[in-house]
Amino acid sequence: MDVDSSMVAETDHDPEGLTHNGATSEQLEQSPSAASGSPQQQQQLQQQPQVQQSPVAGPRTAPTYSVVNAIIEKKEDGPGPRCGHTLTAVAAVGEEGTPGYIGPRLILFGGATALEGNSAASGTPSSAGSAGIRLAGATADVHCYDVLTNKWSRITPFGEPPTPRAAHVATAVGTMVVIQGGIGPAGLSAEDLHVLDLTQHRPRWHRLDSRSLSSPFMCRNTNINLHE
């Protein structure tokens, strides 16, 4: 029996480039489902939360310090060695370039200029009563450091100053410095409250009667009793 060669299925040769279901190999290569999965799988991949990797934080750069050689025209202008004092930053008064402008300042008040008692180099104290050191030479000096001119000066405000003391507290309220507590020559300082007003070129002390205040932090109110 003669077999017509045109009726034999050719398995090794596909002249039309057809593959499964009549699709060409080029179409299969361009099909997204063939390359990256079914649409359901693609949707699941898109719905998965993206994990963001935070940058690794390295060590921070340490701040740099430098010694400031301040100007001291007279010996008494400089505060000199001391401990137990306060140094309070006070903002500028007015606008720069206008009359009456006063630049930012650092106000140093009080402190002890000497120490008494045993030091660390003297060895073990002989008794518990003589252990440690004591503050001596307490002062009520006021020194001002001008930030813009890099200059120290000693100021003598008007009004009633606080008694000499050290280990007190101080804080700035606007252009005022509030002083409270501390240790004086006779022991603990009284429960007094002093305000140094630096609004004018010549500062002034004000002594507040803390017994008439419900809170020592009411220094901004206008009903404070000032005793000059």
Side-chain angles (χ1 to χ4, degrees), residues 4-112:
D4 190 356
S5 59
S6 61
M7 299 177 60
V8 178
E10 297 183 1
T11 57
D12 296 336
H13 179 65
D14 188 2
E16 300 295 336
L18 298 177
T19 57
H20 303 285
N21 298 326
T24 64
S25 58
E26 183 179 357
Q27 291 175 343
L28 287 177
E29 291 178 358
Q30 296 178 354
S31 174
S33 60
S36 58
S38 63
Q40 291 80 6
Q41 293 176 345
Q42 293 181 4
Q43 185 177 5
Q44 291 176 358
L45 291 175
Q46 294 176 358
Q47 292 177 354
Q48 290 181 357
Q50 298 294 330
V51 179
Q52 297 182 354
Q53 296 182 355
S54 58
V56 179
R60 296 183 178 179
T61 304
T64 58
Y65 299 90
S66 60
V67 178
V68 177
N69 296 320
I71 301 173
I72 301 177
E73 295 182 350
K74 295 181 293 184
K75 183 178 180 180
E76 58 267 23
D77 286 338
R82 65 183 63 207
C83 65
H85 56 283
T86 53
L87 188 65
T88 309
V90 178
V93 178
E95 296 184 4
E96 188 174 0
T98 59
Y101 172 77
I102 305 175
R105 293 158 287 175
L106 299 178
I107 302 299
L108 184 148
F109 171 75

Side-chain angles (χ1 to χ4, degrees), residues 163-189:
T163 57
R165 65 190 65 194
H168 52 280
V169 294
T171 187
V173 181
T175 55
M176 299 183 295
V177 176
V178 183
I179 307 292
Q180 202 277 329
I183 303 174
L188 294 177
S189 299

Side-chain angles (χ1 to χ4, degrees), residues 103-181:
R105 293 158 287 175
L106 299 178
I107 302 299
L108 184 148
F109 171 75
T113 58
L115 299 176
E116 295 178 350
N118 296 307
S119 62
S122 62
T124 304
S126 57
S127 63
S130 60
I133 58 177
R134 295 184 299 274
L135 300 178
T139 70
D141 299 340
V142 181
H143 295 266
C144 174
Y145 174 74
D146 192 314
V147 177
L148 300 180
T149 61
N150 187 32
K151 181 180 178 180
W152 276 106
S153 61
R154 182 177 178 179
I155 58 179
T156 306
F158 291 117
E160 178 185 352
T163 57
R165 65 190 65 194
H168 52 280
V169 294
T171 187
V173 181
T175 55
M176 299 183 295
V177 176
V178 183
I179 307 292
Q180 202 277 329

